[in-house]
PDB file of all heavy atoms in Angstrom:
ATOM      1  N   PHE A  56     -23.896  -0.801  -9.418  1.00  0.00           N
ATOM      2  CA  PHE A  56     -23.763   0.236  -8.406  1.00  0.00           C
ATOM      3  C   PHE A  56     -22.474  -0.017  -7.649  1.00  0.00           C
ATOM      4  O   PHE A  56     -22.243  -1.122  -7.168  1.00  0.00           O
ATOM      5  CB  PHE A  56     -24.960   0.200  -7.441  1.00  0.00           C
ATOM      6  CG  PHE A  56     -24.875   1.210  -6.346  1.00  0.00           C
ATOM      7  CD1 PHE A  56     -25.241   2.528  -6.565  1.00  0.00           C
ATOM      8  CD2 PHE A  56     -24.411   0.854  -5.086  1.00  0.00           C
ATOM      9  CE1 PHE A  56     -25.161   3.476  -5.557  1.00  0.00           C
ATOM     10  CE2 PHE A  56     -24.325   1.790  -4.070  1.00  0.00           C
ATOM     11  CZ  PHE A  56     -24.693   3.100  -4.305  1.00  0.00           C
ATOM     12  N   ALA A  57     -21.649   1.003  -7.555  1.00  0.00           N
ATOM     13  CA  ALA A  57     -20.395   0.883  -6.818  1.00  0.00           C
ATOM     14  C   ALA A  57     -20.592   1.457  -5.423  1.00  0.00           C
ATOM     15  O   ALA A  57     -20.878   2.648  -5.259  1.00  0.00           O
ATOM     16  CB  ALA A  57     -19.286   1.634  -7.541  1.00  0.00           C
ATOM     17  N   PHE A  58     -20.492   0.598  -4.411  1.00  0.00           N
ATOM     18  CA  PHE A  58     -20.572   1.058  -3.030  1.00  0.00           C
ATOM     19  C   PHE A  58     -19.278   1.797  -2.707  1.00  0.00           C
ATOM     20  O   PHE A  58     -18.192   1.289  -2.975  1.00  0.00           O
ATOM     21  CB  PHE A  58     -20.723  -0.133  -2.072  1.00  0.00           C
ATOM     22  CG  PHE A  58     -22.086  -0.743  -2.096  1.00  0.00           C
ATOM     23  CD1 PHE A  58     -22.356  -1.822  -2.917  1.00  0.00           C
ATOM     24  CD2 PHE A  58     -23.101  -0.241  -1.294  1.00  0.00           C
ATOM     25  CE1 PHE A  58     -23.618  -2.386  -2.941  1.00  0.00           C
ATOM     26  CE2 PHE A  58     -24.361  -0.802  -1.305  1.00  0.00           C
ATOM     27  CZ  PHE A  58     -24.625  -1.877  -2.131  1.00  0.00           C
ATOM     28  N   ARG A  59     -19.423   2.983  -2.139  1.00  0.00           N
ATOM     29  CA  ARG A  59     -18.243   3.766  -1.767  1.00  0.00           C
ATOM     30  C   ARG A  59     -18.372   4.184  -0.301  1.00  0.00           C
ATOM     31  O   ARG A  59     -19.237   4.983   0.045  1.00  0.00           O
ATOM     32  CB  ARG A  59     -18.112   4.984  -2.668  1.00  0.00           C
ATOM     33  CG  ARG A  59     -17.737   4.609  -4.086  1.00  0.00           C
ATOM     34  CD  ARG A  59     -17.448   5.834  -4.925  1.00  0.00           C
ATOM     35  NE  ARG A  59     -16.938   5.434  -6.213  1.00  0.00           N
ATOM     36  CZ  ARG A  59     -17.692   5.258  -7.284  1.00  0.00           C
ATOM     37  NH1 ARG A  59     -18.989   5.443  -7.215  1.00  0.00           N
ATOM     38  NH2 ARG A  59     -17.148   4.885  -8.429  1.00  0.00           N
ATOM     39  N   TYR A  60     -17.494   3.634   0.501  1.00  0.00           N
ATOM     40  CA  TYR A  60     -17.462   3.946   1.931  1.00  0.00           C
ATOM     41  C   TYR A  60     -16.016   4.188   2.330  1.00  0.00           C
ATOM     42  O   TYR A  60     -15.093   3.841   1.589  1.00  0.00           O
ATOM     43  CB  TYR A  60     -18.082   2.797   2.746  1.00  0.00           C
ATOM     44  CG  TYR A  60     -19.567   2.679   2.483  1.00  0.00           C
ATOM     45  CD1 TYR A  60     -20.047   1.855   1.476  1.00  0.00           C
ATOM     46  CD2 TYR A  60     -20.479   3.429   3.207  1.00  0.00           C
ATOM     47  CE1 TYR A  60     -21.409   1.772   1.217  1.00  0.00           C
ATOM     48  CE2 TYR A  60     -21.838   3.352   2.961  1.00  0.00           C
ATOM     49  CZ  TYR A  60     -22.298   2.525   1.958  1.00  0.00           C
ATOM     50  OH  TYR A  60     -23.636   2.451   1.694  1.00  0.00           O
ATOM     51  N   ARG A  61     -15.820   4.767   3.492  1.00  0.00           N
ATOM     52  CA  ARG A  61     -14.456   5.087   3.933  1.00  0.00           C
ATOM     53  C   ARG A  61     -13.604   3.838   4.119  1.00  0.00           C
ATOM     54  O   ARG A  61     -12.389   3.869   3.936  1.00  0.00           O
ATOM     55  CB  ARG A  61     -14.502   5.880   5.236  1.00  0.00           C
ATOM     56  CG  ARG A  61     -15.091   7.271   5.086  1.00  0.00           C
ATOM     57  CD  ARG A  61     -14.957   8.092   6.359  1.00  0.00           C
ATOM     58  NE  ARG A  61     -15.605   7.507   7.497  1.00  0.00           N
ATOM     59  CZ  ARG A  61     -16.812   7.841   7.947  1.00  0.00           C
ATOM     60  NH1 ARG A  61     -17.496   8.784   7.339  1.00  0.00           N
ATOM     61  NH2 ARG A  61     -17.331   7.265   9.009  1.00  0.00           N
ATOM     62  N   SER A  62     -14.255   2.736   4.521  1.00  0.00           N
ATOM     63  CA  SER A  62     -13.530   1.502   4.804  1.00  0.00           C
ATOM     64  C   SER A  62     -14.549   0.374   4.871  1.00  0.00           C
ATOM     65  O   SER A  62     -15.753   0.627   4.956  1.00  0.00           O
ATOM     66  CB  SER A  62     -12.803   1.610   6.146  1.00  0.00           C
ATOM     67  OG  SER A  62     -13.770   1.716   7.190  1.00  0.00           O
ATOM     68  N   PRO A  63     -14.086  -0.869   4.885  1.00  0.00           N
ATOM     69  CA  PRO A  63     -15.033  -1.976   5.094  1.00  0.00           C
ATOM     70  C   PRO A  63     -15.773  -1.846   6.428  1.00  0.00           C
ATOM     71  O   PRO A  63     -16.965  -2.136   6.517  1.00  0.00           O
ATOM     72  CB  PRO A  63     -14.137  -3.215   5.072  1.00  0.00           C
ATOM     73  CG  PRO A  63     -12.959  -2.819   4.248  1.00  0.00           C
ATOM     74  CD  PRO A  63     -12.743  -1.353   4.552  1.00  0.00           C
ATOM     75  N   GLU A  64     -15.079  -1.365   7.446  1.00  0.00           N
ATOM     76  CA  GLU A  64     -15.717  -1.183   8.753  1.00  0.00           C
ATOM     77  C   GLU A  64     -16.837  -0.145   8.686  1.00  0.00           C
ATOM     78  O   GLU A  64     -17.884  -0.305   9.316  1.00  0.00           O
ATOM     79  CB  GLU A  64     -14.678  -0.769   9.809  1.00  0.00           C
ATOM     80  CG  GLU A  64     -13.656  -1.833  10.139  1.00  0.00           C
ATOM     81  CD  GLU A  64     -12.523  -1.966   9.108  1.00  0.00           C
ATOM     82  OE1 GLU A  64     -12.381  -1.091   8.220  1.00  0.00           O
ATOM     83  OE2 GLU A  64     -11.783  -2.956   9.175  1.00  0.00           O
ATOM     84  N   HIS A  65     -16.613   0.911   7.927  1.00  0.00           N
ATOM     85  CA  HIS A  65     -17.631   1.944   7.753  1.00  0.00           C
ATOM     86  C   HIS A  65     -18.847   1.360   7.043  1.00  0.00           C
ATOM     87  O   HIS A  65     -19.988   1.645   7.411  1.00  0.00           O
ATOM     88  CB  HIS A  65     -17.047   3.137   6.983  1.00  0.00           C
ATOM     89  CG  HIS A  65     -18.010   4.261   6.801  1.00  0.00           C
ATOM     90  ND1 HIS A  65     -18.324   4.772   5.568  1.00  0.00           N
ATOM     91  CD2 HIS A  65     -18.733   4.970   7.708  1.00  0.00           C
ATOM     92  CE1 HIS A  65     -19.199   5.751   5.716  1.00  0.00           C
ATOM     93  NE2 HIS A  65     -19.468   5.895   6.992  1.00  0.00           N
ATOM     94  N   TRP A  66     -18.623   0.539   6.014  1.00  0.00           N
ATOM     95  CA  TRP A  66     -19.739  -0.111   5.318  1.00  0.00           C
ATOM     96  C   TRP A  66     -20.552  -0.942   6.305  1.00  0.00           C
ATOM     97  O   TRP A  66     -21.783  -0.857   6.341  1.00  0.00           O
ATOM     98  CB  TRP A  66     -19.230  -0.996   4.177  1.00  0.00           C
ATOM     99  CG  TRP A  66     -20.347  -1.626   3.416  1.00  0.00           C
ATOM    100  CD1 TRP A  66     -20.964  -1.131   2.308  1.00  0.00           C
ATOM    101  CD2 TRP A  66     -21.003  -2.869   3.717  1.00  0.00           C
ATOM    102  NE1 TRP A  66     -21.966  -1.981   1.913  1.00  0.00           N
ATOM    103  CE2 TRP A  66     -22.010  -3.058   2.754  1.00  0.00           C
ATOM    104  CE3 TRP A  66     -20.847  -3.842   4.707  1.00  0.00           C
ATOM    105  CZ2 TRP A  66     -22.849  -4.163   2.748  1.00  0.00           C
ATOM    106  CZ3 TRP A  66     -21.686  -4.941   4.706  1.00  0.00           C
ATOM    107  CH2 TRP A  66     -22.674  -5.106   3.724  1.00  0.00           C
ATOM    108  N   VAL A  67     -19.880  -1.755   7.133  1.00  0.00           N
ATOM    109  CA  VAL A  67     -20.582  -2.586   8.111  1.00  0.00           C
ATOM    110  C   VAL A  67     -21.360  -1.704   9.072  1.00  0.00           C
ATOM    111  O   VAL A  67     -22.530  -1.982   9.381  1.00  0.00           O
ATOM    112  CB  VAL A  67     -19.600  -3.515   8.867  1.00  0.00           C
ATOM    113  CG1 VAL A  67     -20.300  -4.195  10.030  1.00  0.00           C
ATOM    114  CG2 VAL A  67     -19.020  -4.556   7.919  1.00  0.00           C
ATOM    115  N   GLU A  68     -20.754  -0.630   9.534  1.00  0.00           N
ATOM    116  CA  GLU A  68     -21.436   0.280  10.473  1.00  0.00           C
ATOM    117  C   GLU A  68     -22.720   0.844   9.854  1.00  0.00           C
ATOM    118  O   GLU A  68     -23.772   0.841  10.489  1.00  0.00           O
ATOM    119  CB  GLU A  68     -20.486   1.417  10.848  1.00  0.00           C
ATOM    120  CG  GLU A  68     -21.122   2.488  11.710  1.00  0.00           C
ATOM    121  CD  GLU A  68     -20.205   3.700  11.884  1.00  0.00           C
ATOM    122  OE1 GLU A  68     -18.975   3.553  11.784  1.00  0.00           O
ATOM    123  OE2 GLU A  68     -20.754   4.789  12.113  1.00  0.00           O
ATOM    124  N   ILE A  69     -22.634   1.319   8.628  1.00  0.00           N
ATOM    125  CA  ILE A  69     -23.804   1.909   7.963  1.00  0.00           C
ATOM    126  C   ILE A  69     -24.881   0.850   7.742  1.00  0.00           C
ATOM    127  O   ILE A  69     -26.056   1.064   8.062  1.00  0.00           O
ATOM    128  CB  ILE A  69     -23.396   2.561   6.625  1.00  0.00           C
ATOM    129  CG1 ILE A  69     -22.475   3.757   6.870  1.00  0.00           C
ATOM    130  CG2 ILE A  69     -24.622   2.954   5.801  1.00  0.00           C
ATOM    131  CD1 ILE A  69     -23.080   4.889   7.669  1.00  0.00           C
ATOM    132  N   PHE A  70     -24.518  -0.306   7.196  1.00  0.00           N
ATOM    133  CA  PHE A  70     -25.513  -1.344   6.918  1.00  0.00           C
ATOM    134  C   PHE A  70     -26.079  -1.944   8.200  1.00  0.00           C
ATOM    135  O   PHE A  70     -27.260  -2.259   8.281  1.00  0.00           O
ATOM    136  CB  PHE A  70     -24.928  -2.416   6.000  1.00  0.00           C
ATOM    137  CG  PHE A  70     -25.172  -2.116   4.553  1.00  0.00           C
ATOM    138  CD1 PHE A  70     -24.613  -0.993   3.960  1.00  0.00           C
ATOM    139  CD2 PHE A  70     -25.974  -2.932   3.781  1.00  0.00           C
ATOM    140  CE1 PHE A  70     -24.848  -0.689   2.636  1.00  0.00           C
ATOM    141  CE2 PHE A  70     -26.213  -2.639   2.453  1.00  0.00           C
ATOM    142  CZ  PHE A  70     -25.651  -1.513   1.876  1.00  0.00           C
ATOM    143  N   ARG A  71     -25.238  -2.072   9.208  1.00  0.00           N
ATOM    144  CA  ARG A  71     -25.703  -2.610  10.494  1.00  0.00           C
ATOM    145  C   ARG A  71     -26.709  -1.664  11.139  1.00  0.00           C
ATOM    146  O   ARG A  71     -27.681  -2.089  11.753  1.00  0.00           O
ATOM    147  CB  ARG A  71     -24.508  -2.810  11.408  1.00  0.00           C
ATOM    148  CG  ARG A  71     -24.864  -3.324  12.773  1.00  0.00           C
ATOM    149  CD  ARG A  71     -23.626  -3.478  13.607  1.00  0.00           C
ATOM    150  NE  ARG A  71     -23.961  -3.993  14.925  1.00  0.00           N
ATOM    151  CZ  ARG A  71     -23.085  -4.362  15.818  1.00  0.00           C
ATOM    152  NH1 ARG A  71     -21.800  -4.278  15.546  1.00  0.00           N
ATOM    153  NH2 ARG A  71     -23.469  -4.822  16.973  1.00  0.00           N
ATOM    154  N   THR A  72     -26.498  -0.379  10.988  1.00  0.00           N
ATOM    155  CA  THR A  72     -27.353   0.618  11.621  1.00  0.00           C
ATOM    156  C   THR A  72     -28.633   0.884  10.826  1.00  0.00           C
ATOM    157  O   THR A  72     -29.709   0.980  11.401  1.00  0.00           O
ATOM    158  CB  THR A  72     -26.580   1.942  11.795  1.00  0.00           C
ATOM    159  OG1 THR A  72     -25.403   1.682  12.556  1.00  0.00           O
ATOM    160  CG2 THR A  72     -27.430   2.994  12.489  1.00  0.00           C
ATOM    161  N   PHE A  73     -28.529   0.969   9.496  1.00  0.00           N
ATOM    162  CA  PHE A  73     -29.637   1.485   8.704  1.00  0.00           C
ATOM    163  C   PHE A  73     -30.285   0.496   7.741  1.00  0.00           C
ATOM    164  O   PHE A  73     -31.328   0.816   7.179  1.00  0.00           O
ATOM    165  CB  PHE A  73     -29.172   2.713   7.903  1.00  0.00           C
ATOM    166  CG  PHE A  73     -28.712   3.841   8.767  1.00  0.00           C
ATOM    167  CD1 PHE A  73     -27.375   4.177   8.832  1.00  0.00           C
ATOM    168  CD2 PHE A  73     -29.611   4.556   9.540  1.00  0.00           C
ATOM    169  CE1 PHE A  73     -26.938   5.220   9.639  1.00  0.00           C
ATOM    170  CE2 PHE A  73     -29.188   5.598  10.347  1.00  0.00           C
ATOM    171  CZ  PHE A  73     -27.847   5.936  10.396  1.00  0.00           C
ATOM    172  N   TYR A  74     -29.685  -0.647   7.499  1.00  0.00           N
ATOM    173  CA  TYR A  74     -30.226  -1.567   6.493  1.00  0.00           C
ATOM    174  C   TYR A  74     -30.895  -2.737   7.205  1.00  0.00           C
ATOM    175  O   TYR A  74     -30.229  -3.559   7.840  1.00  0.00           O
ATOM    176  CB  TYR A  74     -29.105  -2.036   5.555  1.00  0.00           C
ATOM    177  CG  TYR A  74     -29.637  -2.636   4.290  1.00  0.00           C
ATOM    178  CD1 TYR A  74     -30.298  -1.861   3.356  1.00  0.00           C
ATOM    179  CD2 TYR A  74     -29.498  -3.991   4.037  1.00  0.00           C
ATOM    180  CE1 TYR A  74     -30.801  -2.410   2.200  1.00  0.00           C
ATOM    181  CE2 TYR A  74     -29.991  -4.546   2.879  1.00  0.00           C
ATOM    182  CZ  TYR A  74     -30.644  -3.754   1.966  1.00  0.00           C
ATOM    183  OH  TYR A  74     -31.148  -4.301   0.818  1.00  0.00           O
ATOM    184  N   GLY A  75     -32.218  -2.795   7.119  1.00  0.00           N
ATOM    185  CA  GLY A  75     -33.031  -3.734   7.876  1.00  0.00           C
ATOM    186  C   GLY A  75     -32.513  -5.154   7.959  1.00  0.00           C
ATOM    187  O   GLY A  75     -32.361  -5.697   9.064  1.00  0.00           O
ATOM    188  N   PRO A  76     -32.244  -5.817   6.826  1.00  0.00           N
ATOM    189  CA  PRO A  76     -31.796  -7.211   6.908  1.00  0.00           C
ATOM    190  C   PRO A  76     -30.493  -7.391   7.686  1.00  0.00           C
ATOM    191  O   PRO A  76     -30.355  -8.339   8.468  1.00  0.00           O
ATOM    192  CB  PRO A  76     -31.626  -7.619   5.437  1.00  0.00           C
ATOM    193  CG  PRO A  76     -32.552  -6.717   4.690  1.00  0.00           C
ATOM    194  CD  PRO A  76     -32.505  -5.409   5.437  1.00  0.00           C
ATOM    195  N   VAL A  77     -29.547  -6.485   7.515  1.00  0.00           N
ATOM    196  CA  VAL A  77     -28.272  -6.592   8.228  1.00  0.00           C
ATOM    197  C   VAL A  77     -28.479  -6.243   9.703  1.00  0.00           C
ATOM    198  O   VAL A  77     -27.927  -6.906  10.589  1.00  0.00           O
ATOM    199  CB  VAL A  77     -27.196  -5.692   7.579  1.00  0.00           C
ATOM    200  CG1 VAL A  77     -25.903  -5.715   8.380  1.00  0.00           C
ATOM    201  CG2 VAL A  77     -26.941  -6.133   6.140  1.00  0.00           C
ATOM    202  N   HIS A  78     -29.305  -5.247   9.965  1.00  0.00           N
ATOM    203  CA  HIS A  78     -29.632  -4.898  11.349  1.00  0.00           C
ATOM    204  C   HIS A  78     -30.240  -6.095  12.069  1.00  0.00           C
ATOM    205  O   HIS A  78     -29.851  -6.425  13.201  1.00  0.00           O
ATOM    206  CB  HIS A  78     -30.593  -3.702  11.352  1.00  0.00           C
ATOM    207  CG  HIS A  78     -31.013  -3.273  12.712  1.00  0.00           C
ATOM    208  ND1 HIS A  78     -30.224  -2.509  13.529  1.00  0.00           N
ATOM    209  CD2 HIS A  78     -32.153  -3.518  13.406  1.00  0.00           C
ATOM    210  CE1 HIS A  78     -30.846  -2.292  14.665  1.00  0.00           C
ATOM    211  NE2 HIS A  78     -32.021  -2.889  14.624  1.00  0.00           N
ATOM    212  N   LYS A  79     -31.189  -6.781  11.422  1.00  0.00           N
ATOM    213  CA  LYS A  79     -31.816  -7.961  12.022  1.00  0.00           C
ATOM    214  C   LYS A  79     -30.804  -9.080  12.240  1.00  0.00           C
ATOM    215  O   LYS A  79     -30.860  -9.785  13.248  1.00  0.00           O
ATOM    216  CB  LYS A  79     -32.957  -8.453  11.130  1.00  0.00           C
ATOM    217  CG  LYS A  79     -34.203  -7.596  11.214  1.00  0.00           C
ATOM    218  CD  LYS A  79     -35.288  -8.099  10.299  1.00  0.00           C
ATOM    219  CE  LYS A  79     -35.765  -9.453  10.767  1.00  0.00           C
ATOM    220  NZ  LYS A  79     -36.909  -9.944   9.986  1.00  0.00           N
ATOM    221  N   ALA A  80     -29.881  -9.256  11.306  1.00  0.00           N
ATOM    222  CA  ALA A  80     -28.875 -10.315  11.449  1.00  0.00           C
ATOM    223  C   ALA A  80     -27.992 -10.048  12.668  1.00  0.00           C
ATOM    224  O   ALA A  80     -27.715 -10.959  13.454  1.00  0.00           O
ATOM    225  CB  ALA A  80     -28.032 -10.421  10.180  1.00  0.00           C
ATOM    226  N   PHE A  81     -27.549  -8.815  12.829  1.00  0.00           N
ATOM    227  CA  PHE A  81     -26.725  -8.487  13.993  1.00  0.00           C
ATOM    228  C   PHE A  81     -27.511  -8.654  15.285  1.00  0.00           C
ATOM    229  O   PHE A  81     -26.983  -9.156  16.278  1.00  0.00           O
ATOM    230  CB  PHE A  81     -26.151  -7.067  13.881  1.00  0.00           C
ATOM    231  CG  PHE A  81     -24.822  -7.026  13.189  1.00  0.00           C
ATOM    232  CD1 PHE A  81     -24.735  -6.786  11.822  1.00  0.00           C
ATOM    233  CD2 PHE A  81     -23.649  -7.232  13.893  1.00  0.00           C
ATOM    234  CE1 PHE A  81     -23.515  -6.753  11.181  1.00  0.00           C
ATOM    235  CE2 PHE A  81     -22.411  -7.203  13.264  1.00  0.00           C
ATOM    236  CZ  PHE A  81     -22.344  -6.968  11.898  1.00  0.00           C
ATOM    237  N   ALA A  82     -28.792  -8.248  15.289  1.00  0.00           N
ATOM    238  CA  ALA A  82     -29.616  -8.410  16.487  1.00  0.00           C
ATOM    239  C   ALA A  82     -29.759  -9.890  16.841  1.00  0.00           C
ATOM    240  O   ALA A  82     -29.681 -10.266  18.012  1.00  0.00           O
ATOM    241  CB  ALA A  82     -30.992  -7.777  16.270  1.00  0.00           C
ATOM    242  N   ALA A  83     -29.934 -10.750  15.840  1.00  0.00           N
ATOM    243  CA  ALA A  83     -30.048 -12.189  16.090  1.00  0.00           C
ATOM    244  C   ALA A  83     -28.737 -12.746  16.630  1.00  0.00           C
ATOM    245  O   ALA A  83     -28.734 -13.566  17.549  1.00  0.00           O
ATOM    246  CB  ALA A  83     -30.453 -12.916  14.812  1.00  0.00           C
ATOM    247  N   LEU A  84     -27.615 -12.304  16.067  1.00  0.00           N
ATOM    248  CA  LEU A  84     -26.315 -12.760  16.549  1.00  0.00           C
ATOM    249  C   LEU A  84     -26.079 -12.307  17.988  1.00  0.00           C
ATOM    250  O   LEU A  84     -25.606 -13.088  18.815  1.00  0.00           O
ATOM    251  CB  LEU A  84     -25.201 -12.238  15.640  1.00  0.00           C
ATOM    252  CG  LEU A  84     -25.095 -12.886  14.273  1.00  0.00           C
ATOM    253  CD1 LEU A  84     -24.133 -12.099  13.387  1.00  0.00           C
ATOM    254  CD2 LEU A  84     -24.665 -14.330  14.390  1.00  0.00           C
ATOM    255  N   GLU A  85     -26.415 -11.058  18.282  1.00  0.00           N
ATOM    256  CA  GLU A  85     -26.232 -10.550  19.647  1.00  0.00           C
ATOM    257  C   GLU A  85     -27.107 -11.312  20.637  1.00  0.00           C
ATOM    258  O   GLU A  85     -26.667 -11.630  21.748  1.00  0.00           O
ATOM    259  CB  GLU A  85     -26.520  -9.054  19.695  1.00  0.00           C
ATOM    260  CG  GLU A  85     -25.447  -8.238  19.006  1.00  0.00           C
ATOM    261  CD  GLU A  85     -25.770  -6.759  18.905  1.00  0.00           C
ATOM    262  OE1 GLU A  85     -26.946  -6.361  19.068  1.00  0.00           O
ATOM    263  OE2 GLU A  85     -24.844  -5.988  18.640  1.00  0.00           O
ATOM    264  N   SER A  86     -28.307 -11.643  20.208  1.00  0.00           N
ATOM    265  CA  SER A  86     -29.202 -12.426  21.075  1.00  0.00           C
ATOM    266  C   SER A  86     -28.620 -13.827  21.314  1.00  0.00           C
ATOM    267  O   SER A  86     -28.667 -14.343  22.436  1.00  0.00           O
ATOM    268  CB  SER A  86     -30.587 -12.526  20.432  1.00  0.00           C
ATOM    269  OG  SER A  86     -31.437 -13.324  21.193  1.00  0.00           O
ATOM    270  N   ALA A  87     -28.060 -14.413  20.277  1.00  0.00           N
ATOM    271  CA  ALA A  87     -27.495 -15.766  20.387  1.00  0.00           C
ATOM    272  C   ALA A  87     -26.284 -15.809  21.312  1.00  0.00           C
ATOM    273  O   ALA A  87     -26.118 -16.765  22.065  1.00  0.00           O
ATOM    274  CB  ALA A  87     -27.136 -16.288  19.003  1.00  0.00           C
ATOM    275  N   VAL A  88     -25.442 -14.768  21.248  1.00  0.00           N
ATOM    276  CA  VAL A  88     -24.243 -14.769  22.093  1.00  0.00           C
ATOM    277  C   VAL A  88     -24.479 -14.081  23.435  1.00  0.00           C
ATOM    278  O   VAL A  88     -23.631 -14.157  24.318  1.00  0.00           O
ATOM    279  CB  VAL A  88     -23.015 -14.136  21.381  1.00  0.00           C
ATOM    280  CG1 VAL A  88     -22.653 -14.908  20.137  1.00  0.00           C
ATOM    281  CG2 VAL A  88     -23.236 -12.682  21.086  1.00  0.00           C
ATOM    282  N   GLY A  89     -25.628 -13.406  23.573  1.00  0.00           N
ATOM    283  CA  GLY A  89     -25.980 -12.794  24.841  1.00  0.00           C
ATOM    284  C   GLY A  89     -25.252 -11.511  25.190  1.00  0.00           C
ATOM    285  O   GLY A  89     -25.172 -11.128  26.344  1.00  0.00           O
TER     286      GLY A  89
END
């Protein structure tokens, strides 16, 4: 499967917002840094 997004930043935005494991990772990082 070839991922096609406007940019690497767009890929991060989509996965951070809609993909559970990545969303949880960002939430954990945000909690750690406050």
Side-chain angles (χ1 to χ4, degrees):
F56 178 81
F58 286 94
R59 290 187 173 93
Y60 293 91
R61 292 187 300 262
S62 65
E64 293 79 12
H65 182 235
W66 182 92
V67 170
E68 175 189 334
I69 294 298
F70 269 64
R71 178 181 181 172
T72 303
F73 299 109
Y74 197 67
V77 176
H78 179 79
K79 285 179 66 175
F81 270 94
L84 288 169
E85 289 174 343
S86 177
V88 299

